[in-house]
Amino acid sequence: MFEAFRLIPALQAIFQSGIEFREDSFAELNAAQREAYERKVAVSDEPIFRVLPCEPTVIERQGNEKVTVELTIATQSERQLLLEAVRFIYRATDELPKESTSFEQRLDFLRQRLPPIVVGEPDLDRPEGS
């Protein structure tokens, strides 16, 4: 259960997006993308990946030539947490039939069993603002 505490941010991202992250869900930034990332965000000492299932967002158009695109990125450690969170979801739902249960069904099953902070849903028992 303590593993889940470390995985909460990754689990929240998965429950919010519904994405079953796999090894091939990530592509390491090329040199130009990494340079842009480091100019805009920060220099990182670990590999940086594009999260492929998340669509890039156009955030600025300059004339007809140049488009600024916002990519969803993850550091190596964030990527690892997302992959571990997917494995956690499968382990936590291993009582479900493996072949006939979709990843979405696994998430629905866990929504009823995990705390609201993990699945990203409000705790209806708590008053707002507390």
Side-chain angles (χ1 to χ4, degrees):
M1 186 55 139
F2 289 114
E3 176 186 19
F5 290 122
R6 183 175 62 84
L7 296 177
I8 285 175
L11 289 167
Q12 289 170 332
I14 291 169
F15 277 99
Q16 181 182 9
S17 68
I19 297 171
E20 180 180 1
F21 293 98
R22 302 169 192 250
E23 291 287 337
D24 63 356
S25 298
F26 304 91
E28 193 164 355
L29 295 185
N30 63 35
Q33 292 167 329
R34 178 144 185 137
E35 183 181 314
Y37 172 84
E38 290 179 347
R39 267 195 323 270
K40 183 177 178 182
V41 181
V43 175
S44 176
D45 59 350
E46 60 182 323
I48 306 292
F49 297 86
R50 286 182 26 227
V51 181
L52 300 177
C54 298
E55 292 293 321
T57 304
V58 174
I59 58 172
E60 185 178 319
R61 293 187 184 275
Q62 298 172 346
N64 290 336
E65 298 294 318
K66 189 173 179 184
V67 175
T68 303
V69 175
E70 185 77 20
L71 300 175
T72 302
I73 56 95
T75 63
Q76 173 66 28
S77 54
E78 292 166 335
R79 173 182 172 268
Q80 191 59 39
L81 285 174
L82 288 167
L83 294 172
E84 287 177 29
V86 169
R87 287 191 291 272
F88 173 85
I89 288 166
Y90 274 91
R91 280 193 313 273
T93 59
D94 65 357
E95 65 191 70
L96 299 175
K98 292 191 186 324
E99 288 77 32
S100 63
T101 305
S102 70
F103 190 70
E104 184 177 325
Q105 289 170 319
R106 291 176 188 282
L107 294 179
D108 289 341
F109 177 82
L110 289 177
R111 277 189 179 93
Q112 307 303 315
R113 288 156 178 80
L114 293 175
I117 191 170
V118 175
V119 297
E121 296 175 358
D123 186 347
L124 300 177
D125 295 333
R126 289 181 51 190
E128 285 189 14
S130 58

